[in-house]
């Protein structure tokens, strides 16, 4: 079994986007990608496939007639991945790409007679913006000219990555599949889970064109399947795509904020700083606190989400604060602004955190592991250390932990370590800074960071978890007098307002 190490940099991603026209924001827009379960821009799947094919012996690559790919996890620019190659027989080659011990891509290649005289994409201008994903109907079809903005640039990139022996027909079909999946169907808000490209024996004439048809769509999971054919000037190509569309995550509003805990004014006059209050459980906590009368200063990296909460609950209840919790200058400036306005804090919510990718313990994942733990602690520790002087005597702190500290997940050791360290920080504050601390070990919730194929199935609403945490703030949950309260996933999911 052969093995190859690959690492794709952002320049390769930009070159691929320009060559194929696949400018899906998941690959190119950091702001958009941050709001997805990936948490950052990811390498286009087809680009990863081309890089992995460098591990295949040239004689097999030159004779490739069919490629089948299954994507099992995102790949990120700048990280190291290893490609294991197994030549199973004279015709079949299997590849597995791993980050550490975690498989992220599986590829099967079939070889035969070199695929001569197969259709290749012509050069044509880049397409406009990607289409939003939407409900699909089996039988829905698309057609158009079969082309790419720069087939030559794609060929040059393939050579640079070590896959220069891949036939032009298959390389072009891979580039077109990436464009169609990312820009047309499933579209912008989708993730491709697999594809297959095959050179057929059917001759076709005329200008290169494609036809594509939705063959299956499940609205419950968002899974979608597409079958396409590329024809014109040679042997036709068949392309199959599989993926799922991300369902929109519910945005907290007045109705959800009061769905578990009835509205009230028991927190009227209290000032709260909520770090990570722009989305997910953080936004749910902001909304529930606001519905109980508190004034919540909610942080966000860029304007937008918190302003929507302000419009929903009123400026006296929600105050936006642009602040990146990893940036010491921004944290200091934000806290100074609160102090300058005469704000004294009654409470502090720390719910910010990075996306959690699967990762085992392996030499290749050490840096990723360390970066995740460091970021997880930083986004809590920086604002906590800066805000403590503004916290009133008898003030409170809510720290979002996870049930993973007890039910340790095999594929997320960095998450377990980070949340354990966060809990240790909370215990220290309760013991040495005389503040009330809640360690909320949240169950799985439906948020942007967990928005997979099944959407909200099997998850606890963020409003439920937020209401239980605010119930503790209100004193509706027992306190053993030590200053530290730990609520399990079951406690949070089962809490009912008195």
């Amino acid at each position: 079994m052969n093995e190859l190490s690959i690492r794709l940099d952002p320049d390769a991603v930009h070159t691929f986007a320009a060559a194929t026209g696949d400018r899906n924001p998941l690959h190119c827009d950091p702001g958009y990608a941050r709001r997805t379960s990936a948490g950052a821009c990811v390498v286009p799947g087809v680009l990863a496939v081309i890089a992995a094919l460098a591990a295949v012996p040239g004689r097999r690559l030159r004779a490739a007639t069919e490629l089948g790919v299954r994507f099992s996890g995102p790949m990120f620019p700048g990280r190291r991945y290893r490609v294991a190659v197994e030549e199973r027989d004279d015709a079949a080659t299997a590849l597995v790409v791993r980050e550490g011990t975690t498989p992220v891509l599986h590829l099967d290649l079939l070889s035969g007679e070199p695929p001569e005289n197969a259709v290749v994409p012509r050069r044509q201008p880049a397409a406009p913006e990607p289409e939003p994903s939407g409900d699909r109907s089996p039988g829905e079809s698309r057609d158009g000219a079969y082309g790419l903005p720069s087939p030559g640039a794609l060929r040059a990139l393939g050579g640079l990555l070590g896959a220069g022996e891949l036939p032009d027909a298959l390389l072009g079909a891979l580039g077109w599949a990436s464009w169609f999946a990312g820009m047309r169907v499933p579209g912008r808000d989708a993730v491709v889970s697999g594809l297959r490209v095959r050179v057929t024996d059917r001759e076709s004439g005329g200008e290169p064109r494609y036809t594509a048809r939705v063959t299956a769509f499940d609205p419950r999971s968002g899974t979608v399947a597409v079958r396409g054919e590329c024809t014109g000037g040679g042997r036709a190509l068949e392309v199959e795509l599989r993926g799922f569309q991300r369902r929109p995550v519910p945005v907290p509003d007045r109705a959800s904020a009061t769905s578990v805990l009835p509205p009230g004014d028991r927190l009227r006059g209290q000032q709260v700083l909520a770090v990570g209050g722009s989305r997910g459980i953080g936004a749910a906590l902001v909304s529930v606190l606001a519905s109980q009368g508190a004034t919540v200063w909610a942080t966000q990296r860029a304007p937008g989400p918190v302003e929507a909460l302000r419009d929903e609950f009123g400026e006296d209840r929600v105050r936006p604060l642009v602040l990146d919790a990893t940036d010491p200058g921004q944290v200091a400036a934000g806290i100074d602004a609160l102090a300058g306005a005469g704000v004294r804090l009654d409470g502090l919510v720390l719910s910010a955190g990075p996306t959690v990718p699967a990762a085992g313990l392996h030499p290749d994942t050490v840096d990723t592991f360390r970066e995740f733990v460091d970021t997880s602690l930083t986004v809590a520790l920086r604002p906590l250390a800066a805000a403590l002087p503004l916290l009133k005597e008898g003030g409170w702190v809510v720290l979002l932990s996870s049930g993973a500290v007890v039910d340790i997940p095999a594929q997320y050791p960095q998450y377990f370590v980070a949340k354990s360290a966060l809990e240790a920080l909370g215990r220290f504050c309760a013991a040495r800074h005389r503040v009330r601390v809640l360690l909320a070990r949240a169950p799985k919730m439906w948020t942007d960071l967990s928005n997979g194929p099944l959407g909200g199935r099997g998850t606890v609403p963020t409003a439920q978890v937020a209401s239980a945490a605010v119930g503790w703030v209100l004193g509706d949950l027992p306190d053993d007098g030590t200053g530290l309260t730990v609520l399990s996933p079951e406690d949070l999911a089962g809490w009912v307002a008195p």
Side-chain angles (χ1 to χ4, degrees):
M1 182 178 292
N2 301 323
E3 189 172 273
L4 172 74
S5 175
I6 61 173
R7 177 182 294 173
L8 291 159
D9 59 31
D11 286 344
V13 176
H14 295 318
T15 300
F16 179 82
T20 62
D22 180 7
R23 298 188 179 276
N24 189 291
L26 183 60
H27 312 309
C28 307
D29 183 342
Y32 174 91
R34 250 195 322 266
R35 299 190 295 273
T36 70
S37 57
C41 288
V42 304
V43 172
V46 166
L47 176 59
V49 168
I50 295 170
L53 287 172
V56 177
R59 57 183 171 77
R60 291 196 169 222
L61 207 54
R62 286 190 297 272
T65 59
E66 182 174 347
L67 290 171
V69 186
R70 178 166 58 88
F71 303 103
S72 53
M75 294 175 63
F76 298 91
R79 295 191 188 177
R80 182 179 298 280
Y81 299 88
R82 297 189 184 274
V83 188
V85 182
E86 179 184 358
E87 298 183 43
R88 291 180 173 171
D89 55 35
D90 290 342
T93 307
L95 293 83
V96 180
V97 180
R98 293 183 174 87
E99 182 181 21
T101 59
T102 305
V104 293
L105 186 155
H106 302 258
L107 192 153
D108 293 305
L109 180 146
L110 292 178
S111 301
E113 292 296 323
E116 298 176 356
N117 192 36
V119 62
V120 294
R122 67 182 182 182
R123 184 183 181 91
Q124 67 179 35
E129 293 300 309
E131 295 182 9
S133 301
D135 288 346
R136 303 294 180 187
S137 301
E140 174 188 347
S141 63
R142 302 290 181 91
D143 63 80
Y146 177 51
L148 297 173
S150 182
L154 182 61
R155 164 52 62 198
L157 178 61
L160 186 65
L161 295 175
E165 302 284 357
L166 184 66
D168 286 343
L170 286 178
L171 180 63
L174 286 171
W176 175 85
S178 184
W179 167 81
F180 188 82
M183 303 289 284
R184 290 296 175 262
V185 180
R188 183 191 63 197
D189 304 309
V191 174
V192 176
S193 58
L195 68 87
R196 184 170 296 277
V197 177
R198 185 174 75 90
V199 179
T200 73
D201 292 328
R202 189 170 70 83
E203 294 289 337
S204 61
E207 290 295 315
R209 294 190 63 80
Y210 75 85
T211 58
R213 181 172 61 89
V214 175
T215 57
F217 177 69
D218 184 349
R220 296 169 299 176
S221 64
T223 55
V224 60
V226 177
R227 178 169 293 176
E229 185 178 50
C230 306
T231 61
R235 294 161 63 185
L237 296 162
E238 290 181 352
V239 180
E240 297 178 8
L241 294 165
R242 300 181 304 280
F244 69 88
Q245 299 176 181
R246 292 187 295 270
R247 297 169 55 199
V249 175
V251 177
D253 57 17
R254 195 174 297 274
S256 66
T258 57
S259 61
V260 179
L261 184 61
D265 60 1
R266 295 166 64 185
L267 295 180
R268 183 175 296 278
Q270 290 207 19
Q271 302 275 343
V272 179
L273 174 62
V275 180
S278 64
R279 64 178 181 177
I281 181 59
L285 281 160
V286 170
S287 67
V288 176
L289 287 164
S291 72
Q292 297 303 309
T295 297
V296 188
W297 299 82
T299 73
Q300 57 187 347
R301 285 187 173 186
V306 177
E307 282 78 5
L309 289 173
R310 179 193 61 194
D311 294 343
E312 178 75 9
F313 293 95
E315 193 169 0
D316 61 325
R317 300 292 178 89
V318 178
R319 304 283 181 87
L321 187 62
V322 175
L323 183 155
D324 181 346
T326 65
D327 187 317
Q330 289 190 29
V331 171
I335 299 302
D336 286 347
L338 294 181
V343 173
R344 293 294 308 281
L345 295 173
D346 296 273
L348 177 61
V349 172
L350 300 171
S351 65
T355 302
V356 192
L361 289 177
H362 187 276
D364 286 350
T365 64
V366 169
D367 289 340
T368 302
F369 190 116
R370 291 176 57 250
E371 180 183 349
F372 180 88
V373 174
D374 180 70
T375 301
S376 298
L377 274 178
T378 297
V379 296
L381 186 56
R382 283 202 192 282
L384 173 64
L388 274 176
L390 296 186
L391 198 61
K392 294 178 183 177
E393 185 176 351
W396 50 267
V397 177
V398 172
L399 281 163
L400 259 294
S401 183
S402 168
V405 299
V406 176
D407 185 12
I408 303 173
Q411 291 299 314
Y412 301 93
Q414 77 281 28
Y415 188 58
F416 164 72
V417 171
K419 288 302 186 184
S420 297
L422 190 68
E423 289 202 359
L425 177 62
R427 294 177 186 278
F428 177 83
C429 289
R432 297 300 180 188
H433 285 273
R434 308 288 182 174
V435 294
R436 293 174 60 213
V437 175
L438 170 63
L439 301 179
R441 293 176 174 170
K444 184 178 180 182
M445 298 170 287
W446 186 19
T447 69
D448 288 329
L449 300 187
S450 64
N451 194 15
L454 296 180
R457 287 175 178 263
T459 60
V460 177
T462 56
Q464 169 67 42
V465 176
S467 297
V470 175
W472 171 83
V473 173
L474 293 169
D476 294 336
L477 283 158
D479 191 325
D480 63 6
T482 65
L484 179 74
T485 302
V486 178
L487 294 181
S488 71
E490 294 75 22
D491 294 332
L492 293 164
W495 184 77
V496 178

